Coordinates of all heavy atoms in Angstrom, one line a residue:
I281 N -41.8 18.1 -61.1 CA -43.0 19.0 -60.8 C -44.3 18.3 -61.1 O -44.5 17.7 -62.2 CB -42.9 20.3 -61.7 CG1 -41.5 20.9 -61.7 CG2 -44.0 21.2 -61.2 CD1 -41.1 21.4 -60.3
E282 N -45.2 18.3 -60.1 CA -46.5 17.6 -60.2 C -47.5 18.7 -59.9 O -47.6 19.2 -58.8 CB -46.6 16.4 -59.3 CG -48.0 15.7 -59.4 CD -48.2 14.6 -58.4 OE1 -47.3 14.4 -57.6 OE2 -49.2 14.0 -58.5
W283 N -48.4 18.9 -60.9 CA -49.6 19.8 -60.6 C -50.8 18.9 -60.3 O -51.4 18.3 -61.1 CB -49.9 20.6 -61.9 CG -50.9 21.6 -61.7 CD1 -51.5 22.1 -60.6 CD2 -51.6 22.4 -62.8 NE1 -52.4 23.1 -60.8 CE2 -52.5 23.3 -62.2 CE3 -51.4 22.3 -64.2 CZ2 -53.3 24.1 -62.9 CZ3 -52.2 23.2 -64.9 CH2 -53.1 24.1 -64.3
R284 N -51.0 18.7 -59.0 CA -52.0 17.8 -58.5 C -53.4 18.2 -58.9 O -53.7 19.4 -59.2 CB -51.9 17.6 -57.0 CG -50.5 17.0 -56.6 CD -50.5 16.6 -55.1 NE -51.1 17.7 -54.2 CZ -50.8 17.8 -53.0 NH1 -49.9 17.0 -52.4 NH2 -51.4 18.8 -52.2
D285 N -54.3 17.2 -58.7 CA -55.7 17.5 -59.0 C -56.3 18.5 -58.0 O -57.4 19.1 -58.3 CB -56.6 16.2 -58.9 CG -56.2 15.3 -60.1 OD1 -55.7 15.8 -61.1 OD2 -56.5 14.1 -60.0
D286 N -55.7 18.7 -56.8 CA -56.2 19.7 -55.9 C -55.7 21.1 -56.2 O -55.9 22.0 -55.4 CB -55.9 19.3 -54.4 CG -54.4 19.2 -54.1 OD1 -53.6 19.5 -55.0 OD2 -54.1 18.9 -53.0
D287 N -55.0 21.2 -57.3 CA -54.4 22.4 -57.8 C -53.1 22.9 -57.2 O -52.6 23.9 -57.5 CB -55.5 23.6 -57.7 CG -55.2 24.7 -58.7 OD1 -54.7 24.4 -59.8 OD2 -55.6 25.8 -58.5
H288 N -52.6 22.1 -56.2 CA -51.3 22.4 -55.6 C -50.2 21.9 -56.5 O -50.3 20.8 -57.1 CB -51.2 21.8 -54.2 CG -52.0 22.5 -53.2 ND1 -51.4 23.1 -52.1 CD2 -53.3 22.8 -53.1 CE1 -52.3 23.7 -51.4 NE2 -53.5 23.5 -51.9
V289 N -49.1 22.6 -56.5 CA -47.9 22.3 -57.3 C -46.8 21.8 -56.3 O -46.4 22.5 -55.4 CB -47.4 23.5 -58.1 CG1 -46.2 23.1 -59.0 CG2 -48.5 24.0 -59.0
I290 N -46.4 20.5 -56.6 CA -45.4 19.9 -55.7 C -44.1 19.8 -56.5 O -44.0 19.3 -57.6 CB -45.8 18.5 -55.3 CG1 -47.2 18.5 -54.7 CG2 -44.8 18.0 -54.3 CD1 -47.4 19.4 -53.5
M291 N -43.0 20.4 -55.9 CA -41.7 20.4 -56.5 C -40.8 19.5 -55.7 O -40.7 19.7 -54.5 CB -41.1 21.8 -56.6 CG -39.7 21.9 -57.1 SD -39.0 23.5 -56.8 CE -39.0 23.5 -55.0
T292 N -40.1 18.6 -56.3 CA -39.2 17.7 -55.6 C -37.8 17.7 -56.3 O -37.6 17.7 -57.5 CB -39.7 16.2 -55.7 OG1 -41.0 16.2 -55.1 CG2 -38.8 15.3 -55.0
G293 N -36.8 17.9 -55.4 CA -35.4 17.9 -55.8 C -34.4 17.9 -54.7 O -34.8 17.8 -53.5
P294 N -33.1 18.1 -54.9 CA -32.1 18.0 -53.9 C -31.8 19.4 -53.3 O -32.2 20.4 -53.8 CB -30.9 17.4 -54.6 CG -31.0 18.1 -56.0 CD -32.5 18.1 -56.3
A295 N -31.0 19.3 -52.2 CA -30.4 20.5 -51.6 C -29.0 20.1 -51.0 O -28.9 19.0 -50.5 CB -31.2 21.1 -50.5
E296 N -28.0 21.0 -51.2 CA -26.6 20.6 -50.8 C -26.0 21.7 -49.9 O -26.2 22.8 -50.1 CB -25.8 20.4 -52.0 CG -26.2 19.3 -53.0 CD -25.4 19.1 -54.2 OE1 -24.7 20.1 -54.5 OE2 -25.4 18.1 -54.8
W297 N -25.2 21.2 -48.9 CA -24.4 22.1 -48.1 C -23.2 22.5 -48.9 O -22.6 21.8 -49.7 CB -23.9 21.3 -46.9 CG -25.0 21.1 -45.8 CD1 -25.7 19.9 -45.6 CD2 -25.4 22.0 -44.8 NE1 -26.5 20.0 -44.6 CE2 -26.4 21.3 -44.0 CE3 -25.0 23.3 -44.4 CZ2 -27.0 21.9 -42.9 CZ3 -25.7 23.8 -43.3 CH2 -26.6 23.1 -42.6
E298 N -22.7 23.7 -48.6 CA -21.4 24.1 -49.0 C -20.5 24.5 -47.8 O -19.5 23.8 -47.6 CB -21.5 25.3 -50.0 CG -22.2 24.9 -51.3 CD -22.3 26.1 -52.3 OE1 -21.7 27.1 -52.1 OE2 -23.1 25.9 -53.2
F299 N -20.9 25.5 -47.0 CA -20.1 25.8 -45.8 C -21.0 26.6 -44.9 O -22.1 27.0 -45.3 CB -18.8 26.5 -46.1 CG -18.9 27.9 -46.7 CD1 -19.1 29.0 -46.0 CD2 -18.9 28.0 -48.1 CE1 -19.2 30.3 -46.5 CE2 -19.1 29.3 -48.7 CZ -19.2 30.4 -47.9
A300 N -20.5 26.8 -43.7 CA -21.3 27.6 -42.7 C -20.4 28.7 -42.2 O -19.2 28.8 -42.3 CB -21.7 26.7 -41.5
G301 N -21.1 29.7 -41.6 CA -20.4 30.9 -41.1 C -21.3 31.7 -40.2 O -22.4 31.3 -39.8
S302 N -20.8 32.9 -39.9 CA -21.6 33.9 -39.2 C -21.5 35.2 -39.9 O -20.5 35.5 -40.5 CB -21.2 34.0 -37.7 OG -19.9 34.4 -37.6
F303 N -22.5 36.1 -39.7 CA -22.5 37.4 -40.4 C -23.2 38.4 -39.6 O -24.0 38.1 -38.7 CB -23.0 37.3 -41.8 CG -24.5 37.2 -41.9 CD1 -25.2 38.3 -42.4 CD2 -25.2 36.1 -41.4 CE1 -26.6 38.3 -42.5 CE2 -26.6 36.1 -41.5 CZ -27.3 37.2 -42.0
D304 N -23.0 39.7 -40.0 CA -23.7 40.8 -39.4 C -24.9 41.1 -40.3 O -24.7 41.5 -41.4 CB -22.7 42.0 -39.3 CG -23.3 43.2 -38.6 OD1 -24.6 43.4 -38.7 OD2 -22.6 44.0 -38.0
P305 N -26.1 40.9 -39.8 CA -27.3 41.2 -40.6 C -27.5 42.6 -41.1 O -28.2 42.9 -42.0 CB -28.5 40.8 -39.7 CG -27.9 39.9 -38.7 CD -26.5 40.4 -38.5
A306 N -26.7 43.5 -40.4 CA -26.9 44.9 -40.8 C -25.9 45.3 -42.0 O -26.2 46.1 -42.9 CB -26.6 45.9 -39.6
T307 N -24.7 44.8 -41.9 CA -23.6 45.2 -42.9 C -23.2 44.1 -43.9 O -22.7 44.4 -44.9 CB -22.4 45.6 -42.1 OG1 -21.8 44.4 -41.5 CG2 -22.7 46.7 -41.1

Side-chain angles (χ1 to χ4, degrees):
I281 311 296
E282 180 186 4
W283 188 13
R284 297 188 315 205
D285 291 340
D286 65 1
D287 207 26
H288 283 243
V289 181
I290 310 301
M291 176 193 62
T292 301
E296 298 179 340
W297 287 97
E298 293 181 14
F299 64 87
S302 62
F303 78 112
D304 185 330
T307 68

